[in-house]
Amino acid sequence: MAKPVLTISSKNYGAWALRGWLMCKLAGLDFTEKVIPPDDPAMKAEMLLLSSSMLVPSLQHGGIKVWDTLAIGEYLNEIKPKAGLLPADAKARAHCRAICGEMHSGFASLRSALPMNIKARFPGFKVWSRAQADIDRIVAIWRECLAAHGGPYLFGPAPCMADAMYAPVVTRFLSYDVTLDKACAAYCKRIMELPAMQEWVKAARAEPDEIDELDAEF
């Protein structure tokens, strides 16, 4: 059987691409990347915050195609159950699915005000009130999960689907100099230290500047 193929977009700007890619890495899936060009409509839809799924990312595995980020995570959990993308405990698993769903469908103000841009740094960035409300909610989610499950990741000692879903938020907090408490700052550091995240960031920094930053923001 041919290797699975994961279709992704820009590694510097592609928040949904990162989520799907990181899930595949955490699941231990041996896959090939297919990167769509910056002028592709699916790429533009993701960059312009018009869609959380469409074709970016999408996973082709044998005769199966899965194109929504949450669906990719659930599918990977089915084919790689030992990877622990979802917690083994039913209560924790339900909680994990809930906060993944909240990330998938919510936080619109954060997305528009602090678009993912791994290469950029904005010291002292002024966060507007609606985006701050999203930040406060995310911090509350992280604190609750870290306290309930003991860290260092959201649901215990190993990263799972929830960590992949919130990984682009971690990059945003770093890019826009968001002030965090000690526990959340340590969590961000731990996510950025994941070998897969280091691989993604290295590729993002090497990516040609082919996308107009204003187009990515708005």
Side-chain angles (χ1 to χ4, degrees), residues 59-75:
L59 178 65
Q60 186 82 39
H61 185 211
I64 298 172
K65 184 174 183 179
V66 191
W67 62 88
D68 179 89
T69 313
L70 284 182
I72 289 172
E74 293 284 354
Y75 177 71

Side-chain angles (χ1 to χ4, degrees), residues 26-43:
L26 295 178
L29 186 70
D30 184 16
F31 64 95
T32 299
E33 295 178 15
K34 178 182 177 183
V35 181
I36 58 176
D39 58 349
D40 186 281
M43 165 75 91

Side-chain angles (χ1 to χ4, degrees), residues 93-103 166:
R93 192 163 60 249
H95 187 196
C96 181
R97 285 187 166 116
I99 67 166
C100 287
E102 189 170 352
M103 182 73 255
Y166 283 84

Side-chain angles (χ1 to χ4, degrees), residues 162-185:
D163 300 287
M165 287 296 291
Y166 283 84
V169 174
V170 171
T171 73
R172 285 176 164 102
F173 285 177
L174 295 175
S175 292
Y176 296 93
D177 196 25
V178 174
T179 301
L180 299 169
D181 61 61
K182 185 177 179 181
C184 290

